[in-house]
Amino acid sequence: MVLDDQNPTTDEKSILTDFTSNMTYSEYLQLDTILSAQNRLSGHHDEMLFIIIHQVSELWMKLILHELNAAIAAIKANQLAVAQKCLARVTKTQTQIIQSWDVLSTLTPSEYMEFRGSLGQASGFQSFQNRMIEFALGYKNGHILKIYQKDPTLLSELKKAYEAPSLYDAAIHALHRAGYPIDEEILSRDVTKSYKENDSVRSAWMRVYKNTKQHWELYELAEKLVDIEDSLQQWRFRHMKTVERIIGFKTGTGGSSGVAYLKKVLDQRFFPELWEIRTTL
């Protein structure tokens, strides 16, 4: 028999049990809303896994955007240490999303085919937060905005992100403020276009990496950027392999080429000079 005084909670006399006039944990987190949002359209057992993985990933993406936007603002304000803290959190968050593919990989092709038809044309390709992350990192594709015309409010938010300077734009301007000569065409470039590598930027980063003690904050910032791109590519690779494992080379529900498209985006570079100088340093 287990005696009451052996229960670790019985000694906690101050634990609150009356929440008549107090906010509860569930209320604070709005768990009634979150936990009632897993509506299986097929009724199939494994659709629950599919929904939860994607919902959790979107929550992590929300945090990533929160930290990326804070980092960009901090860099613009020349608060590089603050930016580094935000970017370190981004990388840790990316680790959580990468690991989520291991859970989704427990879904077999036979199981997925049982409810895939219920998705209609809905696809992860349409994730607006994923697009906003790409915009924040400097990959801009105006054509993709057409997907979101159904929701004018969302489209407006996406356009704002699309037209905003990226994290790398902010970092390059930080280099310029530190006294490194950056070509004017880069400083005043059209930020709705994807960034293309530039000799003056490459030269500036090379000087930072050759004098790390003198330019420690810029050096640390650069390494945080590399961490983020590295993690993003790991996420993309795991995404591609998970899709291949579950549906092979079928066309995606949203009309994309599926695995072929996912393989292609692995070649995208966000911070090209930071990777190039590793060869020439």
Side-chain angles (χ1 to χ4, degrees):
M1 185 173 88
V2 178
L3 300 176
D4 284 347
D5 62 1
Q6 290 178 322
N7 187 329
T9 62
T10 59
D11 292 333
E12 299 290 340
K13 304 299 184 184
S14 62
I15 289 179
L16 248 127
T17 56
D18 182 3
F19 287 91
T20 307
S21 303
N22 294 293
M23 179 175 64
T24 66
Y25 169 83
S26 179
E27 289 168 338
Y28 173 68
L29 294 177
Q30 299 184 51
L31 292 183
D32 55 341
T33 300
I34 294 172
L35 298 180
S36 63
Q38 295 74 43
N39 301 311
R40 292 176 291 163
L41 298 182
S42 69
H44 191 275
H45 173 85
D46 295 299
E47 190 180 357
M48 182 65 77
L49 162 67
F50 191 81
I51 292 171
I52 288 176
I53 285 292
H54 288 85
Q55 287 181 339
V56 170
S57 293
E58 290 291 338
L59 285 172
W60 284 129
M61 286 184 198
K62 183 171 184 176
L63 179 58
I64 286 172
L65 282 167
H66 180 69
E67 298 297 340
L68 285 177
N69 290 329
I72 291 170
I75 295 170
K76 287 180 178 178
N78 234 28
Q79 298 174 337
L80 300 190
V82 174
Q84 288 164 21
K85 175 63 185 297
C86 294
L87 297 178
R89 184 173 290 164
V90 168
T91 304
K92 291 295 184 182
T93 307
Q94 287 175 300
T95 300
Q96 299 300 312
I97 300 184
I98 292 168
Q99 291 177 341
S100 71
W101 294 120
D102 292 338
V103 183
L104 189 58
S105 291
T106 65
L107 182 68
T108 70
S110 299
E111 291 164 347
Y112 182 49
M113 286 305 113
E114 291 289 329
F115 64 85
R116 190 182 190 225
S118 300
L119 304 181
Q121 278 69 57
S123 166
F125 183 83
Q126 299 148 14
S127 168
F128 69 87
Q129 291 197 121
N130 187 39
R131 298 302 169 199
M132 293 177 84
I133 289 171
E134 289 181 343
F135 292 166
L137 296 181
Y139 178 71
K140 305 292 182 77
N141 180 356
H143 176 73
I144 212 75
L145 293 174
K146 292 181 179 180
I147 293 174
Y148 309 99
Q149 291 176 340
K150 181 178 180 178
D151 186 339
T153 302
L154 174 58
L155 181 59
S156 176
E157 287 300 307
L158 280 159
K159 283 183 175 178
K160 190 185 302 182
Y162 174 70
E163 294 167 358
S166 71
L167 176 64
Y168 201 41
D169 288 318
I172 290 170
H173 277 266
L175 283 172
H176 179 64
R177 288 194 302 273
Y180 294 102
I182 303 294
D183 292 343
E184 180 57 35
E185 65 185 69
I186 295 298
L187 296 174
S188 59
R189 77 182 194 88
D190 180 358
V191 296
T192 64
K193 306 295 183 185
S194 293
Y195 176 80
K196 302 295 183 183
E197 58 197 84
N198 174 267
D199 287 341
S200 68
V201 174
R202 184 184 300 105
S203 176
W205 284 126
M206 182 66 77
R207 289 173 60 187
V208 168
Y209 273 76
K210 285 185 174 179
N211 299 278
T212 58
K213 291 182 180 179
Q214 184 180 350
H215 309 291
W216 186 257
E217 283 197 326
L218 285 168
Y219 169 63
E220 279 287 282
L221 174 62
E223 284 297 289
K224 291 293 187 292
L225 297 181
V226 171
D227 287 343
I228 287 172
E229 181 165 341
D230 189 345
S231 294
L232 181 64
Q233 295 298 60
Q234 290 183 50
W235 179 85
R236 285 176 162 179
F237 179 78
R238 290 294 295 120
H239 185 186
M240 181 268 292
K241 295 306 293 184
T242 303
V243 170
E244 183 178 0
R245 174 173 177 155
I246 296 174
I247 67 167
F249 288 82
K250 290 184 179 71
T251 301
T253 49
S256 76
S257 56
V259 170
Y261 169 78
L262 296 173
K263 283 185 175 180
K264 184 171 63 177
V265 298
L266 285 172
D267 293 330
Q268 288 176 1
R269 284 291 194 199
F270 296 93
F271 318 126
E273 293 88 357
L274 293 178
W275 293 95
E276 290 170 7
I277 63 172
R278 282 159 160 73
T279 303
T280 55
L281 192 63

